[in-house]
Amino acid sequence: MGFARACSVALVGVEGVVVEVQADLEPGMAAFTLVGLPDKSLVESRDRVRAAVVNSGAEWPQKKLTVGLSPASVPKGGSGFDLAVACAVLGAAERIDPATIADVVMIGELGLDGRVRPVRGVLPAVLAAAEAGYEQVVVPEQTAGEAALVPGVSVLGVRSLRQLIAVLCDEPVPEEPDDGRGRPDALPAGLMIPGTGLAPAAGRGDGPRPDLADVAGQPRPRQALEVAAAGGHHLLLSGPPGAGKTMLAERLSAVLPPLTRQESLEVTAVHSVAGLLPPGEPLVSRAPYCAPHHSATMQSLVGGGNGMPRPGAVSLAHRGVLFLDEAPEFSGKALDALRQPLESGHVVVARAAGVVRLPARFLMVLAANPCPCGRHSLTGAGCECPPSVVRRYQARLSGPLLDRVDLRVEVEPVDRADLLGRGGRGESTEVVAARVRDARARAAERLAGTPWTTNSEVPGHELRTRLLVAPGALAAAERDLERGTLTARGLDRVLRVAWTVADLRGADRPDASDVAVALELRTGIQRGVPMGVGQR
């Protein structure tokens, strides 16, 4: 009779639970039983592990074998338990010393030839192991850089089970050829994320990003983009096709400040679980950009899928930009599902397999045409849509959703002078990003000692009682509140935007001109505010 145990990690969303893998050998007819609430992919590990052990030169025990995964109440799935199961079996068979693997966390899939294959979610798994007090982790060689991001953990990257056995038994480590395939769980460009219908967003690497100077004209939308980046405010761009709405949105993530170390770990954990970390880039250091197609389902936006829910677009855009182009074409259920994460910064997905809490603090940008044909205007010139069709089209963006959008800007068609460059090029991304960084630093200094870092996160009560604007600055906003053109939530959001505008121009607190800019950016009603007010 032999017994051994190793450890692995079960992922529930982007959070990990350390699982003890116990192997017990008893005399009797040769059999392999796996218990502990495994899913189908984990049940199939019995055949993978047996073939991998034999093809690695070790002898498979011809006894009654029981492998238990504890705690048994936690759902377990995926192929990441293969390595721990194989080592626990070899420990019970006394091929390796059980004491050497008792406190080692092992994560990796085994090929039938014994090669160790990468799996998704290595970073959150190693984070969970470190929080549980484990100091030694074994992972596939391709994901060793990802695991090494966690401080205080000793990481061993292996190419094969044969190499791991040699290390554990203090034997010469055999050379294993590198198959050169990198991360097989990473998706080629253009393919969809399984179970979501989403394509991986580009722009996470260190390559060049589109420059804001490429946008012709559009001074007011450019100002709104800068305010959105500085304060983390959601933005609606409305205008005819070809005016530059998508160009503006695609350049927003480059204007955002670089991620802090903690934010990078949060974002990398989500992308690791989704299998979207590109080869050679274990840490996401820049704000992500996610732009799902308007045919995306509610599950693909907020998270879901078969079995345990997986991250959706709102989580893939965590600490970055979620761009919904042709927003009225999204289903009403999908759009309304965004209301809760917009307020809370996370999404809770409940399924039969369990409840998962996923991070979702993103900056949302909506782009919409004024009508189905896109040519509707105040004069109605060129528009062939009946008024009833225009009303129904515009009503697809519900009032409760729009009430959570701080900035609403009309993007007018570009005139000939701007398009041909006769009006001069606008400011570059580098110049605007520098102002955004200064504004965010000013807000962070003001909010030091609070749970908030950007103006968009500050509760309305704090804005009305502690962070006071200049005397008389709210006169115009109060009139709009009395007329019913502003809701109570809308007034709070105007205050947040006014603080951001003041931060951009280096003021200690907002005055009447800052509030006027905030009102114009929220309501779209021209208030005679000169262009450039609120900026340096």
Side-chain angles (χ1 to χ4, degrees), residues 315-328:
S315 297
L316 295 176
H318 180 59
R319 302 295 181 183
V321 177
L322 175 67
F323 176 45
L324 303 184
D325 199 5
E326 305 293 347

Side-chain angles (χ1 to χ4, degrees), residues 60-276:
W60 184 259
Q62 298 299 317
K63 296 181 180 180
K64 181 181 178 181
L65 171 62
T66 302
V67 174
L69 308 175
S70 177
S73 59
V74 176
K76 306 167 192 72
S79 56
F81 293 88
D82 289 3
L83 202 58
V85 171
C87 288
V89 171
L90 292 174
E94 299 183 352
R95 172 62 180 87
I96 57 180
D97 184 0
T100 61
I101 61 173
D103 295 317
V104 179
V105 175
M106 303 181 183
I107 305 162
E109 174 187 330
L110 286 175
L112 299 185
D113 58 355
R115 287 183 301 169
V116 181
R117 310 288 294 172
V119 294
R120 298 183 177 96
V122 167
L123 176 60
V126 177
L127 283 169
E131 292 175 359
Y134 292 87
E135 298 179 352
Q136 294 179 305
V137 177
V138 179
V139 297
E141 185 183 54
Q142 296 96 321
T143 60
E146 184 181 339
L149 295 173
V150 182
V153 175
S154 175
V155 178
L156 172 64
V158 295
R159 292 184 182 177
S160 68
L161 179 61
R162 188 182 297 106
Q163 283 187 337
L164 180 58
I165 293 173
V167 171
L168 294 174
C169 296
D170 199 19
E171 299 172 354
V173 179
E175 288 291 332
E176 294 285 356
D178 184 1
D179 59 11
R181 297 178 63 181
R183 291 176 59 95
D185 59 333
L187 298 177
L191 294 186
M192 293 294 172
I193 305 169
T196 67
L198 298 175
R204 286 194 306 271
D206 295 329
R209 286 188 172 186
D211 199 314
L212 198 57
D214 300 334
V215 180
Q218 307 297 358
R220 185 63 81 188
R222 288 172 60 97
Q223 181 189 27
L225 201 75
E226 182 175 342
V227 172
H233 306 287
H234 306 303
L235 172 63
L236 168 64
L237 299 172
S238 179
K245 303 185 295 294
T246 302
M247 286 187 68
L248 287 163
E250 288 176 343
R251 285 151 178 77
L252 178 55
S253 61
V255 177
L256 294 174
L259 301 177
T260 65
R261 175 73 177 185
Q262 180 59 37
E263 291 172 344
S264 292
L265 290 176
E266 293 175 8
V267 174
T268 303
V270 174
H271 286 243
S272 176
V273 170
L276 296 180

Side-chain angles (χ1 to χ4, degrees), residues 332-395:
K333 290 179 61 178
L335 289 176
D336 287 338
L338 299 176
R339 287 151 55 177
Q340 184 256 342
L342 284 174
E343 289 289 334
S344 63
H346 64 268
V347 60
V348 178
V349 183
R351 294 290 186 271
V355 179
V356 172
R357 185 179 186 272
L358 300 168
R361 187 164 296 283
F362 55 90
L363 199 165
M364 182 179 68
V365 180
L366 304 174
N369 294 327
C371 67
C373 76
R375 295 189 294 271
H376 181 73
S377 63
L378 293 178
T379 62
C383 179
E384 301 175 355
C385 303
S388 59
V389 173
V390 175
R391 286 195 300 270
R392 283 198 300 269
Y393 185 81
Q394 294 178 351

